[in-house]
Amino acid sequence: MQRTHAFVVLLTTLAALPGVWAAKLTAACAGTTVWWQASMNDDVDLLQDDTNDRFTQVLLKSGNRGCKGVSAKGAEPLKLAEPRIDFEGGTPTERDARLVPDPAQPARKVLAFSLQQAYAKGWSGKPAKGRVQMDVYGNQGIRQLRVRVRVKLPADMAVLRDFPGRIDWLTVSEWWNNASWSNEPLPFRITVNLTKPQAGRGSALRLQAHAQSLGTAGRWDKTWWEQTNDAFEFPVGRWVTLEYWLVEGDSRSGRFQLTATVEGQKPLTVLDVSGPTHDPSDPKPNGWGHFNPLKLYTSKQVIEYAHRNIRALQIMWMDLHILGCSELIDCH
């Protein structure tokens, strides 16, 4: 069997001092595999930096600045970039990322993203949204991704079911095969959202994904595919393991798949698309150069509704695993 060229990331987190969160990452490169590894019981080794007026980041202090894998002869190099947390500005009273006790197991710390107010500007130049996300930007040679993470909506997030209108986008991850900010041609993204397709009280939250290219007017108005699972209701107050599988390709060879496992239940493939995973007109697609495996990003209307009812939107995360491959085979 031919060996794939891959690297693996396992990221989990522990407790924090005020303004400081996250975990020590250790890296080791061996042959064609690169590991980043940490556990919930490791020491804190990330520091929040609020000095940048656009991107407030949490930066690694450990000296790990990404890791490079060994590719096959003649193949492009493999690189997994250093992760950071990105808020697109704002202050800690408007958005935050920190470690908090798991309500079900207070001795266990989990990473929580929260939004209290909308502060990020939209097309009008006025505050229109809020963002907390993990950036893994500047990767090289990743043609296939397998990602697993545990996520929980705290019990009070059930209030979103009573949002009076539809919720079209509450983004939980995003995957870029050419980015809109990096001067690459033909930007393309796959966005994964929690949505509330029906207006009115008591409506279920659903998982939805779509693939888009950037249009000539600077808007994401070219949608290549979109899928929503209307049978799977995303739970609140329970851990859900999300497993992503992304394969770079065209309408015949591209693949996006998302499996959800609610704690105590069997895995369920909730989204499964065979379709383009790069801009169809891109003659030389070059892999998943950037991605946000953890994300909380939504509109002013949703943030303000949550603030009135439960003070803040919040998503909890733990146990992130990332496997990136330079080959389109045997990526397990």
Side-chain angles (χ1 to χ4, degrees):
M1 179 184 294
Q2 183 177 354
R3 296 296 298 172
T4 191
H5 306 288
F7 39 84
V8 179
V9 179
L10 292 86
L11 173 62
T12 53
T13 55
L14 181 71
L17 301 171
V20 179
W21 71 267
K24 181 178 181 180
L25 264 74
T26 56
C29 305
T32 60
T33 303
V34 177
W35 294 83
W36 285 1
Q37 183 169 311
S39 76
M40 285 288 181
N41 297 317
D42 281 344
D43 294 330
V44 173
D45 205 22
L46 295 180
L47 178 66
Q48 184 163 308
D49 172 12
D50 277 320
T51 60
N52 188 305
D53 61 1
R54 176 164 173 78
F55 292 106
T56 302
Q57 303 165 358
V58 179
L59 302 174
L60 285 167
K61 296 194 302 176
S62 63
N64 177 13
R65 292 295 178 264
C67 215
K68 296 181 179 180
V70 179
S71 352
K73 184 177 181 180
E76 61 194 322
L78 275 177
K79 179 186 176 184
L80 182 69
E82 175 188 358
R84 68 180 188 179
I85 301 298
D86 172 2
F87 300 100
E88 197 180 350
T91 68
T93 62
E94 296 169 321
R95 80 298 180 269
D96 205 3
R98 66 177 58 243
L99 289 155
V100 301
D102 181 352
Q105 298 185 42
R108 177 171 66 186
K109 301 293 185 178
V110 297
L111 175 60
F113 288 177
S114 62
L115 289 171
Q116 293 83 24
Q117 296 181 39
Y119 57 88
K121 294 179 180 179
W123 284 91
S124 68
K126 298 179 180 180
K129 54 191 177 178
R131 177 198 309 269
V132 186
Q133 66 190 34
M134 174 179 281
D135 297 346
V136 186
Y137 289 175
N139 312 299
Q140 293 179 352
I142 304 178
R143 303 292 183 168
Q144 185 173 177
L145 275 168
R146 288 189 180 269
V147 177
R148 184 172 73 249
V149 65
R150 298 179 69 191
V151 59
K152 180 196 276 189
L153 300 182
D156 60 4
M157 288 278 282
V159 72
L160 292 181
R161 296 170 177 162
D162 294 331
F163 182 77
R166 293 163 44 105
I167 298 176
D168 294 322
W169 57 284
L170 194 160
T171 305
V172 297
S173 71
E174 206 149 32
W175 315 85
W176 306 83
N177 199 326
N178 288 8
S180 56
W181 62 87
S182 59
N183 296 319
E184 297 172 277
L186 302 172
F188 178 96
R189 69 182 184 183
I190 295 175
T191 304
V192 180
N193 291 309
L194 282 175
T195 69
K196 179 176 168 285
Q198 302 298 322
R201 295 176 59 87
S203 299
L205 301 177
R206 308 294 188 186
L207 280 168
Q208 179 250 36
H210 57 248
Q212 296 175 316
S213 292
L214 191 66
T216 55
R219 294 181 180 269
W220 294 94
D221 53 9
K222 293 183 178 180
T223 299
W224 300 105
W225 52 259
E226 180 175 319
Q227 189 174 98
T228 302
N229 188 313
D230 292 322
F232 175 74
E233 180 174 352
F234 200 91
V236 297
R238 303 181 70 181
W239 284 103
V240 181
T241 300
L242 298 180
E243 297 180 80
Y244 297 90
W245 180 34
L246 298 95
V247 179
E248 181 183 71
D250 56 22
S251 59
R252 293 173 298 176
S253 58
R255 188 76 177 271
F256 172 85
Q257 186 181 91
L258 177 58
T259 300
T261 307
V262 180
E263 58 181 343
Q265 299 182 14
K266 294 182 179 180
L268 176 68
T269 298
V270 292
L271 300 172
D272 195 352
V273 178
S274 294
T277 54
H278 60 76
D279 188 288
S281 60
D282 191 343
K284 294 182 179 180
N286 60 353
W288 304 100
H290 319 276
F291 49 86
N292 312 109
L294 316 178
K295 189 160 186 166
L296 173 58
Y297 177 56
T298 193
S299 68
K300 177 180 179 179
Q301 292 78 11
V302 175
I303 296 168
E304 289 183 343
Y305 174 81
H307 183 72
R308 289 194 302 269
N309 288 276
I310 55 173
R311 298 187 63 185
L313 286 174
Q314 189 175 83
I315 296 182
M316 296 178 175
W317 312 92
M318 67 176 181
D319 300 341
L320 171 65
H321 302 245
I322 299 176
L323 172 63
C325 304
S326 67
E327 307 284 347
L328 299 184
I329 58 170
D330 192 27
C331 190
H332 295 280

